Amino acid sequence: MNRRLTASAGGTPQPGRADLEQVMEKVAHGDKDAFSTLYDDLAPIVFGVVNRVVRDRAQSEEVAQEVMLEVWRQAARYRPEAGRVATWVTTIAHRRAVDRVRSAQAAADREHAQAVRDRSRPFDDVVERVETRLESEQVRRCLRGLTELQRQAVTLSYYRGLTYREVAETLRAPLPTIKTRMRDGLIRLRDCMGVTT
């Protein structure tokens, strides 16, 4: 069953419709000799259909082999009243060929998308690092514009995660004073950084 597919230049006469239907009936019952006959008659046609869609000889041979194996496995599903054997087989061939092209296109699209992501990532990382550095410098500059108590309170609260009470204890200052200084310091930071509410 694993024969190399080549389009015949034209010598052997093709069996008629009734003959192929009889051959297909035998194939449906597992007759390997009948399948061999069917293969010899239809494999070149299948290859031609597939090659017109896939446009790559090696892949076309592979797809055509898959089609002929599917015909062997699915032979019992063929119904003469639905059409000729050759039509049924070439329909399977065309469907498989289109699936292969779509699959190849989807793989190419995924690779392209990944390449675009990989290419843009270093630029995005650089931009992000620059923005972070600029923001950090702006925050440091704005912090320098606060009073010493405001700067200490804001730094302890936002960079060390201390609560108002813990900041008051650390700075040995009354809690209401710390709350006022932090509120005033945050307002000055907001104004310095140009944040609008």
Side-chain angles (χ1 to χ4, degrees):
M1 276 190 264
N2 193 15
R3 302 176 183 201
R4 184 157 175 82
L5 295 173
T6 53
S8 60
T12 55
Q14 303 257 332
R17 176 182 172 145
D19 292 339
L20 272 183
E21 286 179 7
Q22 290 171 1
V23 169
M24 186 59 118
E25 188 175 332
K26 291 178 183 177
V27 172
H29 289 96
D31 186 327
K32 292 181 181 177
D33 290 332
F35 180 72
S36 183
T37 300
L38 187 74
Y39 190 101
D40 289 342
D41 291 335
L42 295 181
I45 297 167
V46 167
F47 176 78
V49 168
V50 171
N51 197 39
R52 276 194 296 278
V53 175
V54 175
R55 298 179 185 266
D56 176 89
R57 184 171 183 84
Q59 283 197 43
S60 295
E61 288 178 357
E62 187 178 314
V63 172
Q65 286 288 349
E66 292 170 6
V67 169
M68 294 310 294
L69 284 173
E70 185 175 346
V71 168
W72 168 254
R73 290 186 198 119
Q74 303 292 330
R77 296 181 68 189
Y78 168 71
R79 297 289 175 259
E81 61 274 9
R84 295 176 27 196
V85 173
T87 304
W88 183 70
V89 172
T90 55
T91 300
I92 294 171
H94 187 264
R95 191 177 333 117
R96 279 288 185 117
V98 168
D99 288 348
R100 175 63 65 98
V101 170
R102 286 180 180 156
S103 175
Q105 185 61 51
D109 290 347
R110 282 192 302 274
E111 288 175 13
H112 176 72
Q114 184 62 45
V116 167
R117 282 193 297 273
D118 289 346
R119 225 178 347 192
S120 65
R121 193 168 290 136
F123 173 75
D124 291 344
D125 288 346
V126 169
V127 169
E128 195 171 309
R129 275 188 261 138
V130 168
E131 286 176 352
T132 301
R133 174 178 269 167
L134 290 174
E135 286 173 3
S136 296
E137 288 174 10
Q138 185 179 11
V139 168
R140 280 194 291 276
R141 182 177 51 78
C142 291
L143 278 171
R144 284 193 296 270
L146 302 180
T147 67
E148 184 63 28
L149 187 56
Q150 287 172 335
R151 185 171 44 255
Q152 288 176 336
V154 169
T155 302
L156 288 171
S157 178
Y158 285 93
Y159 292 106
R160 292 200 186 158
L162 300 182
T163 65
Y164 285 141
R165 185 170 305 285
E166 291 169 332
V167 171
E169 290 170 3
T170 302
L171 296 178
R172 294 190 173 98
L175 183 58
T177 303
I178 293 300
K179 286 182 177 181
T180 302
R181 295 300 180 262
M182 283 188 64
R183 186 194 72 227
D184 293 345
L186 290 173
I187 289 170
R188 287 178 71 180
L189 276 175
R190 182 192 68 199
D191 292 344
C192 176
M193 295 187 69
V195 175
T196 57
T197 55

